């Protein structure tokens, strides 16, 4: 039985589907739910003088990720489940695996949308595919088309 479920959540269609599935599993197993959004490392603005780091842009991005998490937590609360959210910064695979280890999660749930064409699959890679290799626990990949 699962005691703690980590949901990699980005608010996308596949993330919403994963939220619904994790909600059902958490309700069934009485597990604690932790939603985690992983914000990419801050990207410097490029200009004629080179890269410039802008903390204001990073702050706005962090607020956007926090709003997505708050929305997911609210949806779970409407279903009668308590959860909490965390915004992390870095590579999604590494950060989700680290968070799962730190939280002693029994299950990681992520959404996945099939990419159109081989070029998209090659260029973007697959967080869920790589997460399976790095995760310290089981991973449930929820597919949307």
């Amino acid at each position: 039985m699962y005691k703690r479920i980590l949901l990699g959540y980005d608010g996308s269609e596949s993330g919403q589907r994963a939220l619904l599935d994790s909600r059902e599993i958490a309700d069934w197993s009485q597990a604690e739910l932790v939603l985690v959004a992983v914000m990419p490392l801050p990207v410097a603005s490029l200009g004629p003088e080179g890269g410039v780091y802008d903390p204001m842009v990073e702050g706005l991005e962090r607020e956007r990720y926090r709003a997505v998490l708050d929305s997911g937590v609210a949806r779970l609360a409407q279903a009668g489940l308590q959860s909490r959210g965390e915004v992390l910064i870095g590579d999604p695979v590494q950060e989700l695996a680290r968070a799962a280890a730190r939280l002693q999660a029994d299950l990681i749930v992520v959404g996945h949308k099939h990419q159109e064409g081989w070029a998209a699959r090659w260029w973007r890679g697959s967080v869920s595919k790589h997460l399976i290799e790095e995760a310290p626990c089981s991973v449930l990949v929820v597919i949307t088309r």
Side-chain angles (χ1 to χ4, degrees):
M1 182 158 343
Y2 302 114
K3 299 210 184 297
R4 188 166 295 118
I5 299 171
L6 184 147
L7 170 63
Y9 189 67
D10 62 2
S12 66
E13 180 184 349
S14 60
Q16 296 287 336
R17 182 75 202 154
L19 178 80
L20 294 173
D21 283 11
S22 63
R23 180 185 76 189
E24 292 173 6
I25 294 168
D27 192 34
W28 166 74
S29 65
Q30 301 298 303
E32 174 187 357
L33 269 173
V34 180
L35 279 66
V36 174
V38 182
M39 187 173 105
L41 290 169
V43 177
S45 302
L46 295 176
E49 65 282 343
V52 177
Y53 169 72
D54 187 347
M56 181 179 278
V57 171
E58 180 183 352
L60 291 172
E61 230 3 52
R62 184 180 289 275
E63 287 176 22
R64 186 174 72 80
Y65 276 81
R66 173 51 61 190
V68 166
L69 277 180
D70 290 346
S71 172
V73 168
R75 283 190 73 181
L76 291 170
Q78 289 172 347
L81 295 171
Q82 288 191 330
S83 63
R84 60 187 169 95
E86 293 184 24
V87 176
L88 303 176
I89 299 174
D91 174 70
V93 172
Q94 291 176 353
E95 294 305 321
L96 289 171
R98 283 185 194 137
R102 175 176 47 84
L103 297 167
Q104 298 179 339
D106 305 302
L107 178 67
I108 300 172
V109 180
V110 292
H112 177 79
K113 182 174 182 356
H114 290 295
Q115 302 297 323
E116 297 293 325
W118 68 269
R121 288 190 299 272
W122 175 80
W123 182 253
R124 292 187 188 134
S126 170
V127 169
S128 54
K129 178 180 173 182
H130 296 299
L131 184 58
I132 291 168
E133 296 296 325
E134 298 292 326
C137 60
S138 296
V139 177
L140 172 63
V141 179
V142 180
I143 306 288
T144 58
R145 299 213 180 254

